[in-house]
Amino acid sequence: NVVDTTAPVIALEGANPMEVELKGTYTEPGATSNGGEKVETSGTVDTATVGTYTITYSAKDDSGNTGTATRTVNVVDTTAPVIALEGANPMEVELKGTYEELGATSNGGETVTITGTVDTATVGTYTITYSAKDDSGNTGTATRTVNVVDTTAPVITLIGANPMEVELDGDYTDAGATS
């Protein structure tokens, strides 16, 4: 009697292990068996949840021998939150004016932390940094440039009469001015 006790050998198509980004699309690459048997798959991949998933492939030949193979699919989150600034960037504040922080939001609803200061008593360029960290430890950042500028000309106040009269051949004494 000739007995077939050799199970089909399954060859996976594509990578093993395989990586899929969180909320991405998992496309099953498939598998083949060395004897041309139909390959069945079982298992699922939830791309909405970070984790490790196993897909099992099996093929049965005409003698009832079953071959199996598995693929590991890792759903990962490597994408940092995206931060959107509210208001202008860059922003201008007049010297001795008031800087009003307009804030920012992150696309995943993470808390945005704001660091940096603006000294409105000193002309210069200041950087405010916004950062947010997601549950997978990915950190997104954005910056706002705040320029403290002095565009207000001094106000000059004349001392004395204006217009002023001086007698012909008389002496003129400038009364001065203040700013």
Side-chain angles (χ1 to χ4, degrees):
N1 285 343
V2 176
V3 179
D4 177 8
T5 59
T6 304
V9 176
I10 297 176
L12 300 179
E13 302 289 330
N16 187 29
M18 190 174 196
E19 209 169 81
V20 178
E21 184 67 26
L22 180 67
K23 298 180 184 170
T25 302
Y26 170 69
T27 302
E28 172 56 54
T32 58
S33 75
N34 64 337
E37 297 86 2
K38 180 179 178 183
V39 178
E40 302 286 334
T41 61
S42 63
T44 59
V45 176
D46 180 3
T47 60
T49 305
V50 171
T52 300
Y53 300 88
T54 302
I55 303 296
T56 302
Y57 304 84
S58 60
K60 189 179 221 177
D61 67 16
D62 291 339
S63 297
N65 302 306
T66 302
T68 62
T70 59
R71 181 189 321 272
T72 300
V73 181
N74 296 307
V75 176
V76 297
D77 180 7
T78 61
T79 304
V82 176
I83 296 175
L85 300 180
E86 302 291 332
N89 187 27
M91 183 180 229
E92 265 192 15
V93 177
E94 186 64 28
L95 180 66
K96 298 182 184 168
T98 302
Y99 169 69
E100 180 182 336
E101 175 53 57
L102 300 176
T105 58
S106 72
N107 64 333
E110 298 87 0
T111 300
V112 176
T113 302
I114 304 169
T115 57
T117 59
V118 176
D119 180 2
T120 59
T122 305
V123 170
T125 299
Y126 301 88
T127 301
I128 304 298
T129 302
Y130 305 82
S131 61
K133 188 181 229 180
D134 66 17
D135 291 339
S136 296
N138 302 305
T139 300
T141 61
T143 59
R144 182 190 322 270
T145 300
V146 180
N147 297 307
V148 176
V149 297
D150 183 3
T151 60
T152 304
V155 175
I156 298 174
T157 305
L158 299 176
I159 297 173
N162 183 21
M164 189 176 209
E165 283 188 20
V166 177
E167 189 63 39
L168 183 64
D169 291 326
D171 290 330
Y172 168 73
T173 303
D174 189 332
T178 60
S179 69

